[in-house]
Every structure is written in structure tokens, then in C-alpha cells.
Amino acid sequence: MIVFGIETSCDETAAAVVADDRRLLANVVLSQLDDHRPYGGVVPEIAARSHLEAVDAVAAEALRRAGVGFADLDGIAVTGGPGLIGGVLVGVMTAKAFALVHGLPFVAVNHLEGHALTARLTDDVAFPYLLLLVSGGHCQLLIAEGVGRFTRLGTTIDDALGEAFDKSAKILGLGFPGGPAVEQAALQGDPQHFALPRPMKGRDDCHFSFSGLKTAVRQAVERLPGGRATPQDAADLCASFQAAAGDVLADRVARAAALFRAAHPEGSTLVVAGGVAANRYLRTRLDAAAAENGLKLVAPPIALCTDNGAMIAWAGLEHLRLGRRDSLDFRPRPRWPLDPDAPPVGYAGAKA
Ligand code: KG4
Ligand code: ZN
């Protein structure tokens, strides 16, 4: 089985081809970072327009690199949500057109499930596994029980961790996207220099909160001479921020691991997924946290942590081989929780 996947839900126009023997035949990612940089964040209208301009060429390039044509494919997968709706629409319309014209099965993939199942493409991880999903829009702990089957243990009651990285970077004038910039700056910093809070640490549940951490970074800058961070201050703040985030993740993972092992004594794996999983410091911390709790950490290669088409093609393939497909009437979903039964947490605007 060979499946083609398209991802356009944020600021990467991406397409990929994967085979059911876990071969990644092509993975083309066109980043729009330069389009958004002047604005310090992703501008939805610009993203949608850029996806529209790029998607045909990116799709053609993925097929060319894979050395396959539409006749060789067994299905078309696309991110159907959640994400910036303009971009999702561009991908979904493109995928539907391919499916219709070439008479191929069409499957709409939950972007979060794309991240969640990547470790099955890269490392053949078996269900069930504990999953930490950390991206720009989400921060959740889930049990992955099967394709399309997730139980949410915890989520953030305010900001996602990637968002806190991005906002802290902005406060420190490190530019956009913030995650990689903070990671880079932290290499020259002292993680003990600034005492930042560890929000939610020690709590009985598995939830997160990162808005206070970002605020603490801002307040620390305001207390500096002239209210400005020197490059060394910025490096120290970045290192201190990462140390705080690492402590919180390790604590929340320990709590979730206990629940996971109670529910699934046979479970042995912690998977980390999403853009923040590209952070080397946090990967090291999570590796240790997993080991302390009797689990083995699986973290996909960094290029497959941030948004890409391979994760969508693979998740689509997993659904297709279970006989699932969507009709061409599928409507993009700006919100699409992995566990629709999870009770709401936090305030009304908290992320699902
Ligand atoms: O999964 P992703 O590419 O897009 C979403 O679905 O959100 O994640 C993007 C997020 C951004 O907040 C970005 O700053 C963060 O992942 N990120 C990182 C790193 N690389 C990307 N955060 C920390 N360290 C990194 N190296
Ligand atoms: Zn993502």
C-alpha cells in the first residue's frame, strides 16, 4: 500500500509518500517562515495564500522524488483539522481533487493524530503507549490505545508549551519561530541564574499551565537594569525557562506514567511528538523521566517532529488499511480533539 499525504494546517506546505512497510518514499516540506517573520508570528491569511500558491508544486515534487505516479497510489490523505482554517481548506480541496480525478480513496486526518502516530512510522511502536504531544497549539498527555482511539489524561489550561517558547522568545527579542531560537540561546546560558516558577508541579492531575512561565520571563526582564536583557541575560533566561519546562514535563510525565501503567501494565513506551519534541534539552529530560518511571522514550527524528506530510500520509495509511475512508463531502474541522469525551478543563477559552 502506498499513500500520498498533504499537510497545510499551519505554516508549512508539505507533501509526502509513504508505504505500508514503513518506507518514507518522499517528504517535501516548504516552510513559509520568511513570509511570516516580519510579523513575528503566523498570519493566517498570508499562510492560506502561500499554501495555495505552493501546494501543486510541492505535491508534484513529492511524487517526483518518490518516483511514483497517481496510478501507483492506494489513497490520498490530508490534514482535515485542527488548524488555521484557510490553510486546511487549501489542502483538503487539493486532496479531494486528486482523489476524484484519479479515482482514489480519500481520508481526512486529524493533524494531532499525525503527530501521535509518527513513532509507529519511525520506530514501529506498538499500542498502547503513553503520548506527550507538545506543539505550538497543544500540550497534552494521552494514552494511545489504537488508531483513532486516544484517552486524554491531561492538557494545558492556558498556553501550549510551544506558545510559551514563542512568546518568551518574542519578549527576549529572539525572533520567530521562538522554539529553536530559545534552544540555541540556552546553550550559552546558566539554567540556575533566574528562579522561574514550575507551574502545576506536584499536582495530582496531569494538566499543564505555561502562561505564568512566560509572564515570569517578562517580569524578570522588567527587573533588569533599564528593563532590557543583554545577550547573556537572554541566554540565562532561555536556559532557566527550559529548565523550568523540563522540570514540569518530567513531573507531569511521572504522574501520567502511573495512570498509564495502572490501566495498561503491559505498556512500556513514552512517545513524545509535536514541534517542541525537536528540543534536544527536553528530549534528554524526557528520556530520563521515562526511565525513572519504567518506560522507554521514543522520540521521532527532529525533522518528523515539526509539521510535515509524512505524518499525515502515515496516519492516513493506518486508517485506510483498517478500511476507513471519508466522503468527498468531508468538511474541514478547525477544532478536532483526539479524545472528544475528555472533560473540559480550565477556563472557557482553554485549549481542547
Ligand atoms: O508541531 P508544530 O510544527 O506545529 C504545530 O502543530 O503547532 O510545532 C510548532 C511549535 C512552535 O511553537 C515552535 O516554536 C516549537 O514547536 N518548536 C520548538 C523547537 N522547534 C519547534 N520548541 C522548542 N525547541 C525547539 N527546538
Ligand atoms: Zn503540528
Side-chain angles (χ1 to χ4, degrees):
M1 195 175 208
I2 298 180
V3 175
F4 183 78
I6 301 177
E7 154 62 35
T8 54
S9 69
C10 193
D11 58 345
E12 265 95 23
T13 313
V17 184
V18 300
D20 57 355
D21 58 4
R22 300 178 32 242
R23 263 180 313 136
L24 182 48
L25 302 180
N27 188 34
V28 179
V29 181
L30 182 72
S31 168
Q32 304 177 356
L33 282 181
D34 292 340
D35 301 344
H36 299 286
R37 195 167 279 118
Y39 308 94
V42 178
V43 184
E45 288 76 12
I46 293 178
R49 207 171 288 259
S50 303
H51 285 307
L52 194 57
E53 281 166 11
V55 71
D56 287 334
V58 168
E61 178 64 8
L63 290 175
R64 194 190 65 75
R65 287 194 203 167
V68 299
F70 282 104
D72 303 307
L73 299 178
D74 298 285
I76 306 284
V78 63
T79 299
L84 301 175
I85 192 66
V88 175
L89 272 165
V90 170
V92 167
M93 283 192 318
T94 306
K96 282 180 179 175
F98 287 159
L100 185 66
V101 169
H102 301 285
L104 290 165
F106 166 82
V107 62
V109 169
N110 182 324
H111 178 86
L112 304 174
E113 187 170 29
H115 282 303
L117 299 182
T118 300
R120 289 170 53 77
L121 166 66
T122 58
D123 293 82
D124 206 11
V125 175
F127 294 118
Y129 52 87
L130 181 62
L131 171 68
L132 172 66
L133 185 63
V134 270
S135 68
H138 297 269
C139 187
Q140 306 184 13
L141 277 158
L142 304 118
I143 300 177
E145 275 135 8
V147 176
R149 293 200 334 219
F150 298 88
T151 301
R152 195 186 77 191
L153 301 176
T155 186
T156 179
I157 61 167
D158 42 54
D159 290 355
L161 182 50
E163 202 174 348
F165 265 96
D166 293 335
K167 288 177 176 171
S168 299
K170 208 165 183 172
I171 292 165
L172 295 169
L174 294 177
F176 167 82
V182 169
E183 178 171 18
Q184 190 60 32
L187 295 175
Q188 316 299 329
D190 170 6
Q192 257 128 45
H193 195 89
F194 290 92
L196 298 179
R198 269 68 175 157
M200 310 298 264
K201 192 175 164 197
R203 274 182 45 145
D204 245 5
D205 58 36
C206 296
H207 296 314
F208 298 91
S209 164
F210 288 109
S211 143
L213 186 52
K214 157 215 72 192
T215 304
V217 169
R218 178 179 315 114
Q219 289 168 340
V221 173
E222 284 164 2
R223 280 195 295 270
L224 290 168
R228 301 191 59 174
T230 64
Q232 189 57 51
D233 292 329
D236 291 340
L237 269 167
C238 288
S240 303
F241 172 92
Q242 285 196 156
D247 282 355
V248 168
L249 290 184
D251 176 74
R252 309 287 67 205
V253 159
R255 183 76 200 108
L259 298 178
F260 172 56
R261 290 171 61 97
H264 300 281
E266 79 283 16
S268 61
T269 309
L270 168 67
V271 168
V272 60
V276 180
N279 186 287
R280 287 184 184 79
Y281 169 79
L282 293 178
R283 286 162 87 103
T284 309
R285 294 293 308 268
L286 289 168
D287 199 45
E292 272 169 32
N293 292 281
L295 300 174
K296 186 176 157 297
L297 179 74
V298 172
I302 285 170
L304 294 180
C305 286
T306 47
D307 291 347
N308 62 84
M311 70 187 205
I312 302 306
W314 176 256
L317 187 151
E318 292 237 44
H319 278 281
L320 285 166
R321 70 181 173 191
L322 293 175
R324 207 204 109 207
R325 53 195 284 180
D326 287 294
S327 101
L328 294 181
D329 292 336
F330 173 84
R331 291 168 69 153
R333 299 183 187 172
R335 279 179 168 264
W336 187 354
L338 276 179
D339 178 1
D341 300 328
V345 292
Y347 63 94
K351 304 215 158 48

